[in-house]
Amino acid sequence: MSTVTTKDGVQIFYKDWGKGQPIVFHHGWPLSADDWDTQMMFFVLRGYRVVAIDRRGHGRSSQVADGHDMDHYAADAAAVVEHLDLRNAVHIGHSTGGGEVTRYVARHGQGRVAKAVLMSAVPPIMVKTPGNPGGLPIEVFDGFRSTLAANRAQFYRDIPAGPFYGFNRPGAKPLEGVIANWWRQGMMGGAKAHYDGIKAFSETDFTEDLKRIEVPVLVMHGDDDQIVPYKDSAPLSAKLLKQGTLKTYQGFPHGMLTTHAEVINNDLLDFVRS
């Protein structure tokens, strides 16, 4: 397997296919680089170099007990980028991966990043606070933690079968293979990493990171996102970015990169080429 060892001794797995301008994919919680397979195939067949990373504790990376926070996630991504010496790269992050991209670009990406994409992403901050009154109550995330600790396997079946892909909406047609693949990816990772990751994706405040980013950023979000509510995420992030462009998808769910891959892939290609 292709791995890089971080300064604190963690092995980070990555995929690296093709040649050309690099596009780096950052996955959502609690998944793996495999969640980007459709996009990676799309871009590698069009002459791009595609790289995707398994976050620490997820997929094929080390199931360590510690370091499950955005600072470590961003530093781990930087370790892969530096190992591969990627330059003029486009970084694309979905959900928690959008938070990872935001922190990586703001703190590690100078001179290496051409553009970035935040897709259904968690910034600026998910949890409700005095400064973020539209956020979700902490009790929502406490519920995630208790459910994960009690029966992770069932929890990871219920999420994709319901709100993640919008399969709980009237008239929706659940795709069993998609649900099973989500479950497979989730169960590959470590329970401790996933438990701690809930705090990382829900309580990290990316406001200052967003303000620091100089490169063009495309903010993509479905307005029927049941995981990361639209109104408290994408429009706020786009306003904080120096070169932010907001693209809203009517009726699209959180997992729109899978359910609406044809639309998403072509919009990503247009942005990369622009």
Side-chain angles (χ1 to χ4, degrees), residues 53-144:
I53 304 165
D54 281 359
R55 189 169 300 119
R56 66 168 58 203
H58 297 62
R60 290 137 293 202
S61 292
S62 300
Q63 290 197 18
V64 291
D66 302 313
H68 307 296
D69 56 73
M70 283 294 165
D71 286 349
H72 280 88
Y73 295 166
D76 294 347
V80 174
V81 169
E82 290 165 13
H83 174 70
L84 298 176
D85 194 25
L86 303 179
R87 299 181 184 277
N88 193 36
V90 179
H91 285 261
I92 302 176
H94 176 252
S95 195
T96 299
E100 182 179 296
V101 166
T102 300
R103 183 138 298 177
Y104 165 77
V105 174
R107 302 193 181 183
H108 303 275
Q110 188 172 8
R112 291 187 178 271
V113 178
K115 297 177 182 178
V117 178
L118 307 181
M119 186 187 305
S120 310
V122 298
I125 180 172
M126 282 193 73
V127 73
K128 183 178 182 179
T129 66
N132 183 44
L136 295 171
I138 189 66
E139 289 78 14
V140 171
F141 305 107
D142 289 341
F144 288 175

Side-chain angles (χ1 to χ4, degrees), residues 182-234:
W182 202 103
W183 185 90
R184 175 192 68 85
Q185 291 179 71
M187 295 305 294
M188 285 172 65
K192 177 63 161 55
H194 295 169
Y195 186 95
D196 291 353
I198 294 169
K199 180 180 179 68
F201 75 66
S202 64
E203 297 183 42
T204 304
D205 189 343
F206 297 98
T207 300
E208 295 307 315
D209 299 293
L210 292 164
K211 290 178 180 178
R212 289 177 62 181
I213 294 174
E214 302 283 348
V215 299
V217 181
L218 176 62
V219 183
M220 313 168 75
H221 216 107
D223 67 1
D224 193 33
D225 192 321
Q226 300 174 68
I227 305 297
V228 180
Y230 172 83
K231 290 183 179 179
D232 198 57
S233 52

